[in-house]
Amino acid sequence: MGGPDDVTLRRSQLATPGSDPKMIERAPDSGADEAFIDLEDSVAPSEKIEARENAIEGLIEYDWSDTRPCYRMNGVDTRWFYDDVIEVVGRAGEHLDTIMVPMANNPETVATVDNLLTQVETNNDLRVGEIGLQAQIESPEAMTKVADIARASDRLESLVFGPGDYTANVGAAGLTIGSGGGYPGHYWHYQLARIAHAAKAQGLQVIDGPYADIENTDGFRDSCRWASQLGCDGKWAIHPSQIEPANETFAPSPEEAEKARRIVDAYAEAKEQGRGAVSVDGEMVDEATDKMARGIVARAEQAGIL
């Protein structure tokens, strides 16, 4: 379980349809912290196998050193799931960072993927456990069992909220994924707070899902800001124009980063002097504040702000 100084940047997760080779080619240089090649919802059934081949080729051929490579498999209840793991990991596993598991409705779903992945790694002389998992929370069942899901595998790195399928599964009003337009408050406050509580208890990250109103930049920024305030570490970008706002919103501002550094330095000095608290900029700083500040400093350093 990671501490506040252990940071993997996932401020932006670029959704990249596996059926579009040109988008796959552009993804590694998009500026996103992570890109996932989607084999699920954005790919028609008739194109699933071709999309899988595109993903394999893209993982092997392109330089992913600046963007974490991930792919979203098809659900475990589909005919494509088995080969999505066998083929992609078997042929391109050494180039892969994580697999996103859709409709992770229960811990058994995550365990199923974990077990198959272990066999594929073993049979292909890959280091067992090197490839991580990200589990999508997209249904009432998943929301109810989210704490158990967060504990389902040592491979888990994040929980990802899926507002589109969740909206459909609970019968909530709305046709624009992720917006919650007209609702008097933050539409997804309860869901994201519940996921964050379960994830952070296990040292996992939390990623907010898509915001489909691509041209509404202010609405997207608001969605990022609200998610960040609830403990989310990043958000999907379903268009390249959403990458920069997500990267900016889920990183500390220069002013916040500098204040956090002053807090860390001041508290370290106070501890050396045998004091448990100190004042910084007129505010009391104790051990809890120091933990918060160290997390901000770590994210700022990773993002190149400090």
Side-chain angles (χ1 to χ4, degrees), residues 137-140 143 161-196 206-212 219-220 222-224 226-232 235:
I137 307 300
E138 306 182 83
S139 70
M143 196 66 67
F161 180 48
D165 280 304
Y166 185 84
T167 297
N169 286 327
V170 300
L175 285 172
T176 303
I177 295 175
S179 67
Y183 186 80
H186 182 197
Y187 196 57
W188 302 116
H189 179 106
Y190 167 79
Q191 290 81 6
L192 287 176
R194 181 165 183 160
I195 293 171
V206 183
I207 309 299
D208 191 14
Y211 186 89
F220 179 75
D222 285 342
S223 184
C224 289
W226 296 332
S228 176
Q229 289 173 342
L230 290 173
C232 291
K235 186 171 178 64

Side-chain angles (χ1 to χ4, degrees), residues 4-306:
D5 299 326
D6 299 322
V7 175
T8 296
L9 286 183
R10 284 195 173 98
R11 299 167 300 175
S12 53
Q13 276 189 337
L14 179 63
T16 309
S19 54
D20 192 328
K22 290 189 179 297
M23 291 187 70
I24 296 174
E25 181 179 3
R26 292 194 292 266
D29 300 317
S30 64
D33 288 334
E34 182 172 70
F36 70 90
I37 302 172
D38 187 25
L39 305 182
E40 199 217 12
D41 280 352
S42 67
V43 178
S46 61
E47 298 182 344
K48 295 287 189 184
I49 296 176
E50 182 179 356
R52 186 189 299 143
E53 292 297 319
N54 292 339
I56 293 168
E57 181 178 345
L59 289 167
I60 294 173
E61 292 296 324
Y62 304 128
D63 181 1
W64 294 89
S65 56
D66 293 329
T67 300
R68 291 178 178 274
C70 172
Y71 77 94
R72 180 166 68 162
M73 50 172 261
N74 286 283
V76 298
D77 59 347
T78 70
R79 58 185 292 188
W80 302 287
F81 147 64
Y82 181 80
D83 284 336
D84 282 350
V85 179
I86 297 291
E87 292 292 326
V88 179
V89 176
R91 293 163 57 189
E94 63 184 299
H95 307 283
L96 184 64
D97 189 58
T98 58
I99 300 173
M100 191 177 297
V101 182
M103 288 294 174
N105 294 332
N106 47 59
E108 292 79 13
T109 296
V110 177
T112 296
V113 179
D114 187 342
N115 290 335
L116 178 57
L117 181 53
T118 296
Q119 298 305 313
V120 179
E121 287 172 329
T122 300
N123 291 337
N124 288 276
D125 296 323
L126 297 169
R127 183 178 174 184
V128 173
E130 187 76 10
I131 298 171
L133 296 177
Q134 302 187 59
Q136 282 194 276
I137 307 300
E138 306 182 83
S139 70
E141 180 186 359
M143 196 66 67
T144 300
K145 299 177 180 179
V146 65
D148 293 329
I149 294 168
R151 295 190 293 264
S153 169
D154 290 339
R155 294 181 186 267
L156 276 173
E157 296 187 15
S158 77
L159 300 184
V160 182
F161 180 48
D165 280 304
Y166 185 84
T167 297
N169 286 327
V170 300
L175 285 172
T176 303
I177 295 175
S179 67
Y183 186 80
H186 182 197
Y187 196 57
W188 302 116
H189 179 106
Y190 167 79
Q191 290 81 6
L192 287 176
R194 181 165 183 160
I195 293 171
H197 181 87
K200 301 299 180 171
Q202 301 303 316
L204 307 181
Q205 292 187 313
V206 183
I207 309 299
D208 191 14
Y211 186 89
D213 191 356
I214 295 170
E215 296 184 358
N216 186 358
T217 303
D218 289 340
F220 179 75
R221 284 185 180 275
D222 285 342
S223 184
C224 289
R225 187 173 68 254
W226 296 332
S228 176
Q229 289 173 342
L230 290 173
C232 291
D233 300 279
K235 186 171 178 64
W236 277 20
I238 59 173
H239 188 274
S241 65
Q242 294 181 331
I243 294 172
E244 184 177 353
N247 285 349
E248 181 180 309
T249 306
F250 285 99
S253 68
E255 295 77 17
E256 185 181 21
E258 287 294 342
K259 181 176 180 179
R261 175 172 277 174
R262 292 199 305 274
I263 288 173
V264 171
D265 292 344
Y267 188 71
E269 183 179 346
K271 285 202 301 183
E272 289 179 358
Q273 298 172 356
R275 291 181 291 151
V278 66
S279 177
V280 177
D281 296 346
E283 299 180 15
M284 187 203 75
V285 170
D286 59 9
E287 184 176 0
T289 317
D290 179 60
K291 289 179 181 178
M292 294 164 57
R294 285 193 288 115
I296 291 172
V297 168
R299 293 199 304 274
E301 289 177 344
Q302 283 288 92
I305 296 171
L306 283 177

